[in-house]
Amino acid sequence: MSLIAQASRTVPQCLLLHLNRHLGTSSCLSAASATSSEPPDVSQLITAAQLLGPESQRRCMEKMRSLPAFPRPKALTPSRREKETSAVLIALCQERDTNEISLLYTRRSRHLRSHSFQISFPGGRRDDQDTSYVDCALRETEEEIGLPRHRIQVWGEAKQLQLPRTSSIVPVVGVVPDFSLSELRLNWEEVEEAFSVPLKSLMLPKATRHTQFRSGYSGPVFVVDHYRIWGITGYLTHLFLHCLLPPSLLPDCLKTNIKFIRPFKLPPRLPHHREHSAADPSMRT
């Protein structure tokens, strides 16, 4: 699920700037200054019942169905994989022991040929037998981590995202009540591990960072403990938090527009020592 970085000398298109303008946030803090304040504690300002209630569902899915188009960097040429479609499950888990709300992630298996060990949401390519993107996301989730579809209360499908160098993705949002990681049964051929991250941990200033890709754009990154959520998964996480949380609970670190990113430039290529010796008569024998 990661974005593929390719070398480019183009001026960066700030993905976060484009995204936050569309979602209606106006903060222009830099990444460094965003670490100065703590976000509001969701558990104190809104209950799990409110966060997962009908009004929250309506607001969240209304925004998810009108997501901004991904700003394609000009340096990235089209790929055959872009004709494929897939679905992922963004699962809001209500933890059994704490009643805390968290997001469910997986780490891709070491046995996979591409993007092994990278963090993603459960999901995968849509098959011919899938009746919908919801069906695809639930099937892939059950195949990967053994979470039965009857355990997931589906909120709905988001807008299909056309992404560079990979298949288009339809995020499916669902709630898993009374959740425990112990109930999962991982398919080790596809998944190395599954873990959940509390929403409040994703809202901490120290967790929100960014990555600038060599093709000239920057994207959101979340670092919680030893987990680094980046690429498409980081982008989807950032989108989803903006759609789920009421504006009054959205911390400044998620409103940040990263505006002061220098274009990535490759260093000049140094001549190989053999080229040196061929050009320098003193090196000839």
Side-chain angles (χ1 to χ4, degrees):
M1 300 291 293
S2 62
L3 289 174
I4 299 175
Q6 295 185 349
S8 173
R9 297 174 184 266
T10 58
V11 177
Q13 305 173 10
C14 184
L15 178 60
L16 292 183
L17 179 60
H18 169 83
L19 175 61
N20 289 339
R21 280 176 177 172
H22 177 90
L23 294 174
T25 57
S26 58
S27 171
C28 294
L29 299 173
S30 69
S33 64
T35 60
S36 61
S37 61
E38 288 295 313
D41 188 345
V42 176
S43 61
Q44 294 180 3
L45 298 179
I46 188 169
T47 66
Q50 291 173 314
L51 194 62
L52 303 181
E55 177 58 28
S56 181
Q57 176 182 349
R58 183 201 60 77
R59 181 185 61 249
C60 176
M61 294 313 301
E62 188 175 89
K63 291 183 178 180
M64 291 290 286
R65 293 187 181 106
S66 60
L67 293 175
F70 191 94
R72 183 189 186 93
K74 296 180 180 179
L76 294 184
T77 56
S79 165
R80 289 181 299 175
R81 295 191 61 192
E82 294 179 20
K83 298 180 180 180
E84 301 170 354
T85 58
S86 58
V88 298
L89 177 67
I90 301 179
L92 282 161
C93 299
Q94 191 169 8
E95 300 288 344
R96 180 174 303 167
D97 297 329
T98 63
N99 206 40
E100 195 170 39
I101 305 300
S102 61
L103 293 184
L104 181 62
Y105 296 93
T106 65
R107 188 185 296 277
R108 290 168 59 85
S109 171
R110 68 186 69 197
H111 304 296
L112 297 175
R113 288 181 296 178
S114 63
H115 310 309
S116 57
F117 291 108
Q118 291 189 9
I119 292 173
S120 65
F121 289 111
R125 189 179 305 173
R126 182 172 178 176
D127 291 342
D128 293 336
Q129 67 268 26
D130 294 326
T131 59
S132 64
Y133 288 108
V134 169
D135 190 36
C136 172
L138 298 184
R139 174 185 58 78
E140 285 283 349
T141 298
E142 188 163 6
E143 290 178 1
E144 290 179 359
I145 61 177
L147 184 64
R149 62 176 62 208
H150 72 262
R151 290 280 287 114
I152 303 167
Q153 301 172 359
V154 177
W155 278 8
E157 299 177 3
K159 177 183 176 181
Q160 185 173 7
L161 296 173
Q162 303 289 339
L163 304 169
R165 312 296 295 176
T166 189
S167 61
S168 63
I169 297 175
V170 174
V172 174
V173 181
V175 175
V176 186
D178 192 34
F179 174 75
S180 173
L181 285 173
S182 62
E183 69 182 290
L184 303 182
R185 298 294 180 265
L186 304 189
N187 178 352
W188 300 110
E189 293 299 316
E190 297 190 43
V191 175
E192 196 76 16
E193 68 170 316
F195 59 95
S196 58
V197 179
L199 283 185
K200 65 181 182 181
S201 296
L202 295 169
M203 296 166 62
L204 291 172
K206 66 180 182 181
T208 54
R209 306 183 189 183
H210 74 275
T211 290
Q212 185 182 2
F213 295 88
R214 289 186 290 176
S215 51
Y217 62 95
S218 56
V221 178
F222 296 86
V223 179
V224 179
D225 296 330
H226 62 285
Y227 297 114
R228 185 172 184 265
I229 303 166
W230 68 292
I232 294 298
T233 309
Y235 176 67
L236 289 177
T237 299
H238 186 87
L239 279 174
F240 180 69
L241 291 176
H242 273 259
C243 294
L244 175 69
L245 297 173
S248 59
L249 292 185
L250 198 67
D252 286 342
C253 60
L254 290 178
K255 300 176 185 176
T256 299
N257 296 329
I258 301 174
K259 300 176 64 176
F260 306 105
I261 306 296
R262 293 181 180 178
F264 184 94
K265 291 186 178 181
L266 291 175
R269 182 175 178 271
L270 296 177
H272 193 272
H273 66 90
R274 290 181 180 176
E275 296 176 6
H276 258 309
S277 61
D280 188 353
S282 65
M283 298 297 289
R284 296 175 183 172
T285 57

